[in-house]
Amino acid sequence: MRDDANVRSGFNGTLVQGRKPALLVIDFQRGFTETAVSPLASDCSSAVTATNALIDAMRGIGPVIFSVVGYSANMADLGCWGQKCGSLSSLVRGTPPCELDPRLHYDAAVDLILEKTQASAFFGTALAGILASARCDMLIVAGCTTSGCVRASVVDAMQYGFPPFVVRDCVTDRSAAQHESNLIDMSSKYAEVFQLDAMLGILNDMVTPSALN
C-alpha cells in the first residue's frame, strides 16, 4: 500500500508488532455516525460492525479506549478549529452527538472513554500516560475520520513512541478520496495498515492479559 515515491525516498520500513496492544476507537459517537443527529455524520455502519469484531477480540488481551470529541455549551474550548468547521458547534458535551454509538460493544466495567477537544486523541488528554502505564507496545487504531482525527492520533502515537497499527476495515471517512489517500500516507510514513482478518489473526495468537482488564 505504500506509495512508490515514498519507498524510493526510504520510507520502506515496517513497524514491529508488539505483545501488549491497546485498542483506540476514535470518535465513533452519534455526532459522526448518525446523520439525523449532526451534519458532521456519515454512514459508518460497516466500520462500526468491523470495530465490534476487533473489540471482542481484544477482550482479555489489552485495554479498549474510546475517544469522544465535545465542547462546553459556550464553545470556549473549541479554539480556532471552529473557524474551519462551524458544524463542530453541534458537539456539546452531555448531548446526544457526544454519546458513543450504541451499536458499539462498549463495556463500562472495563473500558475507558476519553473526552477530547481537538483532532488527536493525545492532545490535552491522559492517553499517553494511560498507554505507558499499561506498557503498551502496539496501538491498534479504529474510528473516524481517516483523514482527520484518525490520522492526527496516528501521527501523535508515533511521536509518543506507541507504534500505531490501523485496521483498514475499522476506519472510515465522509470522503472516499481522503480515506484512501490518508491510508496510503499513514502506511508510508506513520503506521502499519492491516485488513481486519489479518489483525484478528494477530490478536488470536496473543495470550498476554492486559493490566487494565
Side-chain angles (χ1 to χ4, degrees):
M1 184 175 209
R2 289 180 172 85
D3 176 77
D4 289 343
N6 280 317
V7 170
R8 289 193 296 272
S9 297
F11 287 97
N12 57 359
T14 301
L15 294 174
V16 175
Q17 294 175 22
R19 297 299 302 175
K20 292 189 175 181
L23 171 60
L24 176 62
V25 181
I26 300 169
D27 298 356
F28 270 158
Q29 60 196 80
R30 296 179 64 194
F32 289 113
T33 64
E34 295 184 27
T35 55
V37 171
S38 169
L40 292 163
S42 60
D43 184 6
C44 301
S45 298
S46 62
V48 169
T49 298
T51 298
N52 278 334
L54 199 56
I55 293 170
D56 294 344
M58 280 291 294
R59 297 303 183 198
I61 295 176
V64 179
I65 303 166
F66 298 82
S67 75
V68 172
V69 61
Y71 306 97
S72 61
N74 63 9
M75 297 290 124
D77 49 354
L78 175 56
C80 61
W81 200 9
Q83 297 174 31
K84 292 296 291 183
C85 181
S87 296
L88 289 170
S89 63
S90 67
L91 304 178
V92 177
R93 284 190 293 271
T95 65
C98 292
E99 297 172 354
L100 283 181
D101 188 307
R103 296 171 293 181
L104 289 169
H105 293 177
Y106 165 70
D107 185 345
V110 292
D111 297 337
L112 176 66
I113 299 178
L114 285 179
E115 292 185 343
K116 66 186 182 74
T117 63
Q118 303 300 317
S120 172
F122 287 88
F123 186 89
T125 76
L127 181 56
I130 291 165
L131 296 177
S133 179
R135 298 181 180 177
C136 171
D137 59 7
M138 177 181 184
L139 185 63
I140 303 169
V141 180
C144 66
T145 59
T146 312
S147 63
C149 296
V150 169
R151 185 183 185 279
S153 300
V154 161
V155 172
D156 273 357
M158 173 69 84
Q159 293 173 154
Y160 277 105
F162 303 106
F165 290 75
V166 177
V167 184
R168 181 186 181 94
D169 314 65
C170 300
V171 295
T172 187
D173 199 295
R174 62 185 65 86
S175 165
Q178 288 184 309
H179 174 73
E180 292 298 332
S181 66
N182 278 272
L183 284 173
I184 291 170
D185 184 60
M186 288 187 287
S187 177
S188 294
K189 301 174 184 175
Y190 306 113
E192 297 301 320
V193 177
F194 278 79
Q195 297 286 350
L196 176 61
D197 287 347
M199 182 55 69
L200 292 177
I202 292 169
L203 293 176
N204 188 55
D205 291 337
M206 292 185 179
V207 294
T208 305
S210 166
L212 297 188
N213 278 359

